[in-house]
């Protein structure tokens, strides 16, 4: 068995794991990233597209913001289509000038991989049977297999950034971990197409037939979603059927402008609210999707992962550079306080804009009242805007 020595072993080479490893490296703290899949596979996943300014600041601090600054689009507002109207939420006006950036998760991940390569960061791909050990001992270790050989890394800490289906959360004893979960009775069918976006800003649409979202990645790349039953399969949706259904859910003036084309990616994501508490067990820290999932309405998934990394990074800085573990010891409590607010916001926005299959006439009237209130109250719009641009860390 080959043995490695490091300070932090990071399980998972998604955005959470890569960002943390890059930030730590910039401060001289050593880590190894263990990723189950190939780099091509990780970069092939099309996921989030809207970054809070806090995330952008972290990418800057990690020295990874060159391309993001050039190619990312600043958005100072977005639209909500409902009852035949198209209303705008002015993010900048309601937040003292804050905005969000449209820049895909795939590009964030690509930039982080490149920065890790330039600095000689250790990222091991295609690793199998990753297992954390000795979580309650003075030092922990992780074992794995690669190309048929067994490996081990001794470390001070393990960070579980291995997503919802990873091994890290499962390593915490069931009697310690409490899981909170809500599964929604629908999914999002997403399409990526090489067509100009239908509008310059995002449009979230509430419609009798179900939710729809018009988003984008660039001036020539669009991302659209429609709410679908959980029983649907992406391969059963032809491109033509997708475009027809999307247009039916958009206001006429928007649908008339929509430019369609062949899809270059099509997939269905289920919607779930999930939180695991605590986010620390001994030497193991959970971060990102390994600890929590939000339904995507409001774009808080990737951004909540980034806020965990912010708290964890500052915890490690205190521990390693100042010999003060106070922030590290408060990690779970601090991260969870912000996570639950993102959970609340995503749950609210999901309820506001989706058609619930078992929803009653009363539910519909309450939903309509919620929307009417939103666009009749500056305070309600300010609350939405404050959450959308991202609550402070
Ligand atoms: P992940 O990106 O899941 O990364 C975890 C990594 O760990 C993966 O690369 C995985 O291969 C690796 N791994 C897993 N198990 C192991 C193991 N045992 N050993 C080693 N490595 C392992 N958010 C939004 O805001 N908007 C969206 O539109 C949106 N769409 C989404 C669509 C889908 C299908 C999914 C799954 C998520 C979506 N999200 C979206 C959420 C957002 O993408 C996540 O919040 C974000 O990816 C979290 O980053 P992460 O690094 O914590 O986890
Ligand atoms: C995107 C996804 C979201 O969940 C959202 O709220 C906004 C944009 C996107 O993939 O572009």
């Amino acid at each position: 068995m080959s043995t490695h020595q490091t300070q932090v072993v990071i399980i998972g080479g998604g955005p959470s794991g890569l960002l943390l490893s890059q930030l730590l490296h910039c401060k001289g703290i050593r880590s190894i990233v263990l990723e189950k899949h190939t780099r091509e596979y990780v970069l092939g996943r099309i996921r989030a597209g809207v970054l809070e300014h806090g995330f952008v600041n972290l990418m800057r601090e990690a020295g990874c913001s060159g391309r993001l600054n050039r190619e990312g689009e600043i958005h100072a507002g977005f639209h909500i289509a409902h009852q035949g109207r198209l209303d705008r939420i002015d993010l900048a006006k309601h937040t003292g000038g804050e905005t969000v950036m449209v820049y895909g998760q795939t590009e964030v991940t690509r930039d982080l991989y490149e920065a890790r390569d330039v600095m000689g960061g250790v990222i091991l791909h295609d690793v199998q049977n990753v297992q954390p050990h000795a979580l309650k001992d003075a030092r922990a270790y992780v074992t794995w297999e690669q190309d048929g050989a067994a490996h081990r890394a001794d470390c001070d800490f393990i960070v579980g950034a291995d997503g919802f289906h990873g091994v890290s959360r499962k390593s915490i004893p069931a009697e310690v971990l409490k899981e909170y979960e809500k599964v929604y009775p629908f999914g999002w069918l997403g399409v990526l197409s090489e067509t100009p976006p239908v509008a310059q800003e995002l449009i979230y649409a509430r419609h009798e037939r179900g939710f729809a979202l018009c988003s984008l990645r660039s001036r020539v790349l669009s991302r659209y979603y429609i709410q679908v039953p959980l029983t649907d399969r992406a391969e059963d949706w032809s491109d033509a059927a997708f475009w027809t259904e999307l247009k039916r859910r958009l206001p006429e003036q928007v649908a008339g402008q929509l430019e369609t084309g062949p899809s270059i990616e099509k997939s269905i994501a289920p919607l779930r609210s999930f939180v695991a508490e605590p986010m620390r067990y001994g030497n193991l820290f959970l971060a990102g999707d390994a600890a929590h999932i939000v339904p995507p309405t409001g774009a808080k998934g990737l951004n909540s992962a980034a806020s965990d990394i912010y708290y964890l990074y500052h915890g490690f800085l205190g521990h390693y550079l100042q010999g003060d573990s106070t922030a590290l010891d408060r990690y779970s409590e601090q991260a969870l306080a912000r996570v639950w607010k993102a959970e609340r916001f995503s749950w609210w926005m999901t309820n506001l804009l989706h058609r619930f299959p078992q929803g009653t006439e009363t539910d519909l009237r309450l939903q309509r009242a919620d929307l009417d209130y939103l666009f009749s109250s500056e305070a309600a719009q300010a609350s939405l805007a404050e959450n959308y641009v991202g609550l402070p860390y």
Side-chain angles (χ1 to χ4, degrees), residues 67-80:
R67 198 159 69 93
L68 181 148
N69 284 334
R70 286 193 307 277
E71 297 177 16
E73 270 191 30
I74 303 280
H75 283 222
F78 66 87
H79 292 87
I80 294 184

Side-chain angles (χ1 to χ4, degrees), residues 28 32 61 109 151 158 177 192 220 245 263 295 322 353 370 383:
I32 293 178
E61 181 151 1
T109 312
H151 299 264
I158 301 168
L177 200 71
L192 188 69
V220 290
E245 187 57 35
S263 64
Q322 280 116 40
L353 298 173
D370 210 350
S383 169

Side-chain angles (χ1 to χ4, degrees), residues 61 91 139 164 174 179 276 337:
E61 181 151 1
L91 296 172
R139 270 173 73 76
F164 184 65
E179 297 184 343

Side-chain angles (χ1 to χ4, degrees), residues 17-147:
L18 294 172
L19 179 59
L20 180 65
S21 123
Q22 176 68 9
L23 285 164
L24 293 179
H25 198 147
C26 291
K27 298 289 182 187
I29 301 166
R30 287 173 292 121
S31 69
I32 293 178
V33 176
L34 301 174
E35 167 56 49
K36 182 179 174 175
H37 291 291
T38 62
R39 187 175 289 207
E40 294 67 40
Y41 180 92
V42 174
L43 289 174
R45 297 187 293 218
I46 307 297
R47 292 184 172 178
V50 176
L51 308 182
E52 296 174 355
H53 54 97
F55 192 124
V56 173
N57 289 343
L58 270 183
M59 288 291 282
R60 278 197 190 116
E61 181 151 1
C64 298
S65 61
R67 198 159 69 93
L68 181 148
N69 284 334
R70 286 193 307 277
E71 297 177 16
E73 270 191 30
I74 303 280
H75 283 222
F78 66 87
H79 292 87
I80 294 184
H82 62 113
Q83 293 155 266
R85 301 211 314 260
L86 193 61
D87 284 321
R88 183 169 187 263
I89 298 292
D90 190 329
L91 296 172
K93 177 178 119 186
H94 290 295
T95 59
E98 301 282 10
T99 54
V100 292
M101 181 176 277
V102 170
Y103 190 71
Q105 176 170 337
T106 312
E107 305 312 316
V108 168
T109 312
R110 195 188 306 280
D111 294 346
L112 286 166
Y113 273 134
E114 261 172 35
R116 297 283 48 229
D117 288 348
V118 168
M119 291 179 80
V122 182
I123 305 171
L124 305 177
H125 282 277
D126 252 336
V127 300
Q128 289 96 44
N129 292 328
V130 175
Q131 204 57 57
H133 303 272
L135 300 180
K136 288 291 200 178
D137 294 355
R139 270 173 73 76
Y141 66 96
V142 180
T143 54
W144 69 94
E145 286 156 26
Q146 195 177 28
D147 300 327

